[in-house]
Amino acid sequence: MDIARDWKGYAAAAIAAAGCTLAGLAMKGRFDIVNIAMVYVLAVVIIAVRYSRSAAIASAATSVIAFDVAFVPPEGAFTVNDVQYLFTFAIMVAVALVISHLMEKGRREEVARARLALEAESERIRSTLLASITHDLRTPLAVLTGASSTLVEGGERLPAAQREALSRSIYGQARDLFDQVEKILQMTRLEAGSVRPERDWASLAEIAGSVLSRMGDRLATHRVVVEMAPDLPLVRVDAPLVEQVLVNVLDNAARHTPPGTVVVLRAKRAGGDLVVAVEDNGPGPGEHDLDGLFGKFRGGGEEGARGGFGLGLAICRAIVELHGGRIRAEANPGGGLAIRFTLPVEASPPPPVEAAGG
Amino acid sequence: MPEARATILVVEDDPEIRRFVCSALAAEGHKVVESANARRGAIDATTHRPDVAIVDLGLPDFDGLEVIRGIRRWSPMPVIVLSARSREHAKIEAFDAGADDYVTKPFGVGELLARVRVALRHAVRPASGEGALRLGPSTIDLVARRATRDGAEVHLTPTEFRLVGCLAKHAGMVVSHKQLLGEVWGPTHLADTHYLRIYMKQLRDKLEADPLRPRHFITETGVGYRLLADDPA
């Protein structure tokens, strides 16, 4: 097992033998030699309980030698001339073996129990995740099946407006379903460590602009205010991954706050970091565990009517940490939730030189 | 529409995807040539001489990139790539191979048709750089080297003009980072992406109504940029 613990055990055995000898010398004359031997037995037991089996045996051996030298006549010499003391030695070793065997067994069982508990926990997480995935996939699939079969079987008898509504709901649900499947895949890739960020110089303002235009429909229900310092430094990041973070955080804000409320997207430099924040004016996190927002799944009621696995923020955390940044959620002072993440700012590369003339 | 009744080649192995893409294109009045694999696609491209090619990147026999490279050996026809979202890298390779635009699966038909319309405009009348570009409140005359915003003169540096010119040559379509860096700063600066970040910000600050929500200098994150000019009046 680990060598450090073994060496500590041997050292403890030596110290214990020395300590017992000192105690024994103090007891000498007033106590019977057999009782002095008991002090050594106690030391061997303690070493066997605390350290490895080999340390226990070493303790038994050193104790017998020390005892023999210090107390068994002729004192000051190591002679095993009496069968009695051979017997003492045998008892000591037996005690050391029995105790350390019991302890090893106990430790092994403890490890096994801990492993079982861990397995049970990850099994529980897996089955909860599976249940939540199944639920969230099943609902849109049910809508897709129902709506499309209505169109297939009675399409021409339906009023045009209803046909259109059904088609639109198929389109919307299919897109949502794709997003969710994509999130599961992305989370799996991130967890497996197979996402390697391809860093290049990027402008956060630019990424944000692209996100806002890409998310047009999804953010149409809210008023998004962008507040960014005009002189933000460039960051060396994997831009598509950072774009994903912004999409997920903004999507989360739009999903959990009432339509018509304001969502603020801020970015500024703070020391060696670029700090990006998305603040909403929704009901906020309530009594929920703020750190738990970044877990792989959250309890049912929280996801709202549009579904979603709650994987979005877990993906954000993985991506931000992959870039050496941090992400956290806070209750907004004015109510609502603020999600803040940092991206490290590196020394800027040399700027281009404007060619003269042309 | 002058670009109606064009010939469009669709190289896509999945029959379901081919079906809806082709029916949407046919509904627009185009003649559609369908190929289910790369080999067939390369042959159809030479025999049918389409105006635009739509090429899926994940084909069963060869990579879609081979089809694009094959076409580029003899034709400047616009090529639109169909790519999966998870394959960012494949997208960049497609632009290196000569692709002009892309649509990420899953896509709505509206998105694809919009790309095809832009591509056809190029196929029919390749952008020559003549005439002024209209970009919302701003105009840029690349020949006279003049730019205005809300009627007032705006100073653009020579590099900024070159950058706009390069984007305008492919107006409406994607120009990759590498392509822009190569054309504006030269082959020794292909990896200096930060040049683009700095200059695009300058152009947006000078010409866009809201630089944080650009409507003309569009970012294609991880890939390149796209210039959306208003249609000439």
Side-chain angles (χ1 to χ4, degrees):
Chain A
M1 253 198 351
D2 66 323
I3 295 166
R5 194 172 142 240
D6 273 6
W7 279 111
K8 268 190 213 151
Y10 294 138
I15 292 167
C20 290
T21 308
L22 286 177
L25 286 174
M27 290 160 76
K28 201 175 170 187
R30 280 172 290 152
F31 287 84
D32 198 41
I33 191 168
V34 178
N35 287 327
I36 293 174
M38 286 298 150
V39 176
Y40 285 97
V41 174
L42 179 64
V44 170
V45 169
I46 290 171
I47 298 294
V49 168
R50 301 270 324 258
Y51 302 98
S52 67
R53 175 181 306 192
S54 39
I57 292 171
S59 173
T62 47
S63 292
V64 167
I65 293 168
F67 179 62
D68 191 307
V69 170
F71 303 105
V72 177
E75 288 151 31
F78 181 66
T79 48
V80 187
N81 55 2
D82 198 328
V83 183
Q84 272 197 64
Y85 300 113
L86 273 178
F87 182 69
T88 313
F89 177 70
I91 293 286
M92 287 249 200
V93 171
V95 165
L97 286 177
V98 169
I99 299 282
S100 63
H101 173 72
L102 286 175
M103 289 310 296
E104 290 279 310
K105 200 172 142 203
R107 278 187 210 116
R108 262 202 305 276
E109 276 169 5
E110 206 174 301
V111 168
R113 251 200 314 278
R115 194 168 48 223
L116 273 179
L118 205 66
E119 273 166 16
E121 173 65 8
S122 72
E123 184 52 40
R124 193 187 63 77
I125 290 175
R126 201 171 305 141
S127 60
T128 315
L129 186 59
L130 199 63
S132 109
I133 287 174
T134 315
H135 171 263
D136 284 351
L137 290 184
R138 207 174 262 157
T139 311
L141 280 171
V143 176
L144 286 177
T145 313
S148 56
S149 69
T150 312
L151 285 176
V152 168
E153 279 156 28
E156 65 280 10
R157 275 174 282 130
L158 292 170
Q162 249 183 58
R163 264 207 313 269
E164 156 131 13
L166 285 171
S167 308
R168 281 194 185 284
S169 115
I170 291 175
Y171 183 43
Q173 291 286 337
R175 287 230 144 200
D176 273 6
L177 195 58
F178 182 85
D179 277 352
Q180 292 177 1
V181 170
E182 200 69 13
K183 276 184 187 158
I184 298 170
L185 280 177
Q186 181 69 317
M187 194 68 236
T188 315
R189 282 193 292 255
L190 284 163
E191 284 201 323
S194 59
V195 177
R196 291 215 325 275
E198 294 193 16
R199 290 159 178 265
D200 200 348
W201 291 105
S203 142
L204 195 93
E206 195 169 74
I207 296 174
S210 155
V211 165
L212 292 178
S213 81
R214 249 185 60 191
M215 292 183 75
D217 318 346
R218 265 187 288 175
L219 296 175
T221 48
H222 290 68
R223 209 161 72 73
V224 183
V225 176
V226 185
E227 285 181 12
M228 284 193 194
D231 55 346
L232 281 185
L234 296 178
V235 279
R236 230 169 61 76
V237 296
D238 185 311
L241 288 181
V242 172
E243 182 171 277
Q244 238 175 63
V245 173
L246 281 180
V247 167
N248 290 357
V249 174
L250 285 167
D251 187 50
N252 186 70
R255 219 182 263 250
H256 295 288
T257 59
T261 54
V262 175
V263 176
V264 186
L265 170 59
R266 276 179 224 283
K268 62 168 192 223
R269 183 179 188 155
D273 285 326
L274 192 69
V275 184
V276 188
V278 171
E279 296 162 13
D280 68 38
N281 285 279
E287 294 303 306
H288 293 289
D289 166 24
L290 285 171
D291 208 40
L293 289 174
F294 301 101
K296 247 178 298 177
F297 61 88
R298 288 176 273 147
E302 271 195 73
E303 289 305 336
R306 278 189 59 205
F309 299 113
L311 279 179
L313 292 181
I315 290 172
C316 291
R317 175 158 77 181
I319 292 176
V320 168
E321 287 176 357
L322 211 52
H323 282 88
R326 302 173 306 280
I327 187 165
R328 66 191 148 115
E330 289 161 12
N332 219 7
L337 185 71
I339 293 196
R340 247 174 265 284
F341 66 90
T342 64
L343 294 169
V345 174
E346 298 176 22
S348 295
V353 181
E354 180 69 39
Chain B
M1 283 257 127
E3 55 259 32
R5 298 213 55 77
T7 302
I8 295 170
L9 171 66
V10 178
V11 190
E12 162 66 62
D13 60 313
D14 188 295
E16 298 279 337
I17 292 181
R18 218 165 55 228
R19 177 185 302 149
F20 83 74
V21 167
C22 292
S23 66
L25 290 168
E28 287 272 289
H30 300 307
K31 179 176 171 240
V32 184
V33 180
E34 300 180 36
S35 320
N37 57 54
R39 196 186 299 274
R40 190 72 241 162
I43 295 169
D44 287 340
T46 48
T47 51
H48 292 271
R49 302 276 161 149
D51 299 294
V52 171
I54 298 173
V55 179
D56 178 36
L57 286 183
L59 292 168
D61 49 349
F62 294 105
D63 209 313
L65 294 175
E66 291 306 318
V67 180
I68 304 173
R69 289 195 192 105
I71 290 174
R72 275 294 163 266
R73 274 198 279 276
W74 59 272
S75 167
M77 80 173 74
V79 174
I80 300 171
V81 160
L82 304 182
S83 88
R85 197 194 285 186
S86 49
R87 297 179 60 193
E88 207 68 41
H89 219 258
K91 226 185 284 176
I92 294 166
E93 282 175 20
F95 282 101
D96 288 347
D100 298 284
D101 211 334
Y102 71 95
V103 179
T104 304
K105 289 180 183 176
F107 51 87
V109 159
E111 197 183 340
L112 178 68
L113 292 180
R115 298 273 177 270
V116 169
R117 245 170 258 139
V118 169
L120 279 174
R121 221 169 290 156
H122 277 269
V124 174
R125 174 180 55 79
S128 54
E130 70 200 42
L133 293 163
R134 292 204 309 116
L135 310 171
S138 308
T139 64
I140 303 177
D141 189 329
L142 289 168
V143 179
R145 299 222 150 198
R146 276 188 72 234
T148 65
R149 173 175 175 153
D150 300 320
E153 192 95 13
V154 174
H155 173 73
L156 296 191
T157 68
T159 307
E160 286 168 350
F161 269 118
R162 269 211 301 284
L163 189 52
V164 176
C166 187
L167 286 164
K169 215 160 49 182
H170 308 266
M173 301 196 290
V174 177
V175 192
S176 71
H177 294 144
K178 216 190 253 182
Q179 211 174 336
L180 284 169
L181 287 164
E183 287 192 30
V184 177
W185 283 278
T188 54
H189 292 283
L190 295 184
D192 290 328
T193 323
H194 62 286
Y195 286 16
L196 289 172
R197 308 301 182 213
I198 294 167
Y199 271 86
M200 292 308 288
K201 177 172 162 34
Q202 289 173 10
L203 283 172
R204 286 178 179 138
D205 285 348
K206 288 179 184 179
L207 302 167
E208 291 272 5
D210 180 355
L212 286 176
R213 295 170 191 250
R215 300 183 50 194
H216 305 285
F217 294 94
I218 304 298
T219 310
E220 294 292 335
T221 306
V223 177
Y225 294 91
R226 183 199 297 278
L227 180 68
L228 291 185
D230 300 331
D231 286 329

